[in-house]
Amino acid sequence: EEGWYVESVSLPGHGTSPQLLRDVSAADLALAVSSRIAELQASYDIVVVGGFSMGGALATAAAAKRPVDALILSAPFAGITYR
């Protein structure tokens, strides 16, 4: 079979109810992304990671620790500056 395997990761607390998101930490989100990247890298020669907004920030942070073949970022959240 030719082509790409494409997957959308459901982050902890997302796609459920807002109440469940209250119990999810930033570390939980980061672990979910980095763990899935590790699993994909064990199965595929090329892993490209994408993210939108907060997903872009999570993808960037994960790729900084565990390099991927490419990042596709759409409006990645980069931080808030308080003055």
Side-chain angles (χ1 to χ4, degrees), residues 22-83:
R22 286 187 303 210
D23 298 326
V24 177
S25 69
D28 294 333
L29 298 173
L31 180 61
V33 173
S34 62
S35 295
R36 190 62 189 130
I37 289 173
E39 292 167 359
L40 290 168
Q41 288 177 326
S43 298
Y44 298 96
D45 294 330
I46 298 172
V47 174
V48 176
V49 177
F52 170 74
S53 190
M54 181 183 70
L58 290 167
T60 301
K65 293 180 180 176
R66 183 180 196 96
V68 296
D69 296 286
L71 279 174
I72 301 171
L73 305 175
S74 178
F77 175 80
I80 297 174
T81 302
Y82 295 97
R83 296 179 190 215

